[in-house]
Amino acid sequence: MLVAAAVCPCPPLLVPEVASGAAPELDGLRTACDTALGAVLAAEPEVVWVVGPDAEHSSFDDGGTGSFQPYGVDVSVVLGDGGAPEPLPASLTVGAWLLQRAGWAGRARGLAVPDYLEPDLCAANGVRLAQSAGRVGLLVVGEGSARRSLKAPGYLDDRAEGFDAVVSRGLATADADGALSTLDDELAYELMASGRAPWQVLAGAAAGSLDAELLYEDAPYGVGYFVAAWT
């Protein structure tokens, strides 16, 4: 059963060593992520699943490893406390870093979901995760539209702000059956919103009634970032 979930973005710039001189720009975002993940760990889950976007649909056991070497820094992370050193995709590497930063030393597993995964299949994945243990925590990583400004990675798209507004309302109210589960996957793809599939996994997992708090909402660098805690 899902007992709590944290929603965070997953840019490598969250890691101060990667951001370097620009690190202070995201201090508020890091603090919000810490708060959201702290709420999950306070719920005493038996296992924490990190769910994030990737090109392939795959799962990762305790002990998966990630590195920020591709970004020029010697920082490595391990997912959970197991012994299966399988390489993690970039989004789960950031998630593992957030868990490690929070001091989590228990079981952790990872699920990567691609942007082509249909909403009903995302929801089915969420149901499976929620049933994986008696007390399940989720760390769901991904971003809103990357087309929020002229300088955004995907340039400006007038539909981006409205799409992200729906996401914001869904995360702020734990609206798993409405706003999040009905996000248009094709529109999300066009808007480069990497969080769509992970959020719909969350929607599938959150069958019960959870309280929600939206802790951060902004679009630095033209990308929609959201942080929320569902408990």
Side-chain angles (χ1 to χ4, degrees):
M1 180 181 70
L2 179 67
V3 294
V7 175
C8 299
C10 54
L13 288 175
L14 264 181
V15 180
E17 292 88 340
V18 175
S20 189
E25 297 177 8
L26 296 181
D27 279 347
L29 176 59
R30 294 185 192 94
T31 298
C33 290
D34 292 342
T35 300
L37 194 48
V40 173
L41 304 190
E44 299 183 346
E46 298 171 38
V47 59
V48 176
W49 280 90
V50 182
V51 182
D54 190 41
E56 302 295 333
H57 188 194
S58 50
S59 59
F60 300 83
D61 289 328
D62 262 351
T65 59
S67 172
F68 294 96
Q69 286 280 8
Y71 307 100
V73 297
D74 188 19
V75 176
S76 298
V77 294
V78 178
L79 181 66
D81 61 354
E86 186 176 5
L88 298 171
S91 67
L92 300 190
T93 295
V94 174
W97 178 82
L98 285 169
L99 271 181
Q100 191 167 291
R101 173 180 166 95
W104 176 248
R107 291 176 57 209
R109 300 192 65 190
L111 176 69
V113 286
D115 56 18
Y116 60 77
L117 199 67
E118 297 174 355
D120 58 339
L121 294 178
C122 292
N125 275 255
V127 171
R128 178 173 63 85
L129 299 192
Q131 295 174 347
S132 65
R135 298 183 65 82
V136 175
L138 292 184
L139 169 56
V140 181
V141 298
E143 282 111 45
S145 176
R147 307 190 68 177
R148 289 282 297 273
S149 73
L150 294 175
K151 295 184 178 180
Y155 197 68
L156 178 65
D157 189 306
D158 291 338
R159 302 171 296 174
E161 188 171 348
F163 177 90
D164 281 356
V166 173
V167 173
S168 176
R169 289 195 299 271
L171 293 176
T173 59
D175 187 9
D177 295 330
L180 297 183
S181 63
T182 58
L183 287 173
D184 187 319
D185 52 335
E186 292 187 7
L187 177 60
Y189 177 79
E190 293 173 6
L191 295 177
M192 303 171 64
S194 68
R196 190 277 305 173
W199 297 329
Q200 290 185 329
V201 172
L202 168 62
S209 176
L210 295 174
D211 294 325
E213 183 178 6
L214 186 66
L215 299 167
Y216 183 98
E217 177 185 4
D218 202 356
Y221 321 122
V223 182
Y225 290 168
F226 307 94
V227 179
W230 289 16
T231 55

